[in-house]
Amino acid sequence: MFKAVHINKAADKLEVAVTQLGESALPPGNVTVRIAYSTLNYKDAMAITGQGGAVVRTFPMVPGIDFVGTVSESADARYKIGDWVILNGWGVGERYWGGLSQVARVNADWLIPLPQDMKPQHAMAIGTAGYTAMLSLLALERHGLTPEAGDVLVTGANGGVGSFAIALLAARAYRVVASTGRLEEAEYLKDLGAAEIIDRRTLSEPGKPLQQERWSAAIDSVGSHTLANACAAIKADGAVAACGLAQGMDFPSTVAPFILRGISLLGINSVTRPTSERIQAWARLVTDVDVRKLDAITHEIGLGDVIESAHGLMAGKVRGRIVVDVNR
């Protein structure tokens, strides 16, 4: 038997509880993992509370888009009993049972080894948010971005991806301009490494398709008018890594920045990246993340605290990262 956050749906009403399950209830998979830590992300909170759209695609569901733990059973030669592994994405917590549980059974292709020099707690403090931010930075660097090129814009700066993007860019000596709707959090963003703070309202309304060149590149987790305005103000031959849609899925722009300035829009899909890219991203996270700053923005809870914390997260009452010790 093991404990898990369990979501079911009856007569269009969500039933959410921390409950005991038998391993016979686990879905098919060729690797079973004893989970040590998971996280509580915004998407997990949406699934648990039923707010913000249909995250869960099948019921019953165990939410949790991240986990780290040790292999307890394996039918795949790449993993043996006792190996530490990480999982991010692949639809777990949405289509497949996820990490807010003491046990998971998954496809071996979804796993990567926990980097040797990383603590399990830190892996989950980073989670999908930090991993996605690193994928965005790597994409910009492959495009040719260097600190000498000039300022880099980060939108959605107070969100998980935005916060990590600021810290990762600053660690590589980029000058970061952070866009946020919570200007009262300016000192927090500066502590992460932002050199300048701007009000998100300067980007979130309709703007001209081509604007004064301001930034060498951007990491955008917002979409909609914010992404369009970011593209309109990127310097010639610069690039925008688009990795989120907090404002919306629409992109009310024109081809002007792409043709007249030669900028590039780089789509970041963190869910189904191949193993080699995941390992590269996590290897960089080992070296680029300041664990002292990570500890300062991380709050640890137990599995029994998840449901209450999910409602707090949806209400905007949570700042920083929530790591879930599933065994307490």
Side-chain angles (χ1 to χ4, degrees):
M1 301 293 290
F2 64 94
K3 290 182 181 180
V5 177
H6 190 261
I7 304 174
N8 214 338
K9 195 171 188 179
D12 292 327
K13 183 179 180 181
L14 283 183
E15 299 174 346
V16 185
V18 177
T19 189
Q20 290 270 359
L21 298 170
E23 291 202 13
S24 60
L26 289 168
N30 55 3
V31 178
T32 303
V33 179
R34 291 284 172 181
I35 297 173
Y37 297 94
S38 185
T39 56
L40 182 63
N41 294 283
Y42 192 77
K43 187 178 286 186
D44 303 322
M46 288 171 62
I48 291 166
T49 63
Q51 301 177 45
V55 170
V56 177
R57 309 301 175 86
T58 59
F59 294 93
M61 178 57 60
V62 172
I65 64 174
D66 299 310
F67 68 70
V68 62
T70 55
V71 173
S72 59
E73 295 180 26
S74 176
D76 188 287
R78 288 171 290 179
Y79 298 105
K80 63 182 186 298
I81 294 173
D83 285 349
W84 280 94
V85 291
I86 304 173
L87 189 146
N88 308 106
W90 294 110
V92 298
E94 301 174 71
R95 292 184 176 88
Y96 311 103
W97 282 20
L100 288 169
S101 172
Q102 293 175 322
V103 180
R105 184 172 292 145
V106 296
N107 187 323
D109 292 337
W110 302 346
L111 301 169
I112 64 167
L114 174 70
Q116 190 171 9
D117 296 326
M118 181 173 285
K119 292 182 178 180
Q121 300 95 316
H122 289 154
M124 287 298 96
I126 293 168
T128 288
Y131 158 66
T132 301
M134 180 55 79
L135 289 176
S136 301
L137 175 54
L138 289 170
L140 291 173
E141 289 180 342
R142 285 195 297 271
H143 185 77
L145 181 66
T146 64
E148 293 72 32
D151 292 358
V152 179
L153 172 69
V154 174
T155 67
N158 275 102
V161 174
S163 296
F164 273 105
I166 292 168
L168 293 172
L169 285 161
R172 290 274 165 168
Y174 291 93
R175 187 179 188 275
V176 182
V177 177
S179 167
T180 180
R182 289 189 272 172
L183 294 176
E184 68 275 12
E185 299 282 8
E187 288 306 312
Y188 167 73
L189 297 174
K190 289 179 179 178
D191 286 343
L192 290 176
E196 183 181 342
I197 313 296
I198 62 173
D199 191 327
R200 73 178 178 193
R201 288 179 295 183
T202 63
L203 298 172
S204 60
E205 300 298 326
K208 295 180 180 179
L210 205 63
Q211 302 170 24
Q212 180 182 354
E213 297 177 60
R214 300 174 64 186
W215 307 294
S216 62
I219 295 178
D220 174 69
S221 59
V222 178
S224 191
H225 291 289
T226 299
L227 174 57
N229 286 317
C231 289
I234 294 294
K235 296 178 181 179
D237 300 318
V240 177
C243 59
L245 38 77
Q247 187 179 1
M249 293 182 67
D250 58 319
F251 181 46
S253 183
T254 74
V255 297
F258 306 98
I259 293 175
L260 300 180
R261 289 185 182 155
I263 78 160
S264 297
L265 182 59
L266 311 175
I268 307 300
N269 167 24
S270 65
V271 176
T272 57
R273 301 321 306 147
T275 299
S276 59
E277 288 188 28
R278 291 171 179 269
I279 290 174
Q280 179 191 17
W282 278 97
R284 273 282 296 270
L285 286 163
V286 171
T287 60
D288 288 16
V289 170
D290 184 337
V291 295
R292 292 170 299 178
K293 289 184 178 179
L294 190 60
D295 288 338
I297 65 170
T298 300
H299 174 57
E300 187 174 300
I301 63 174
L303 195 62
D305 304 314
V306 165
I307 296 172
E308 181 181 355
S309 296
H311 285 275
L313 183 55
M314 293 302 296
K317 297 178 180 179
V318 176
R319 185 178 79 177
R321 299 287 295 155
I322 301 176
V323 171
V324 182
D325 180 344
V326 300
N327 297 301
R328 74 170 176 88

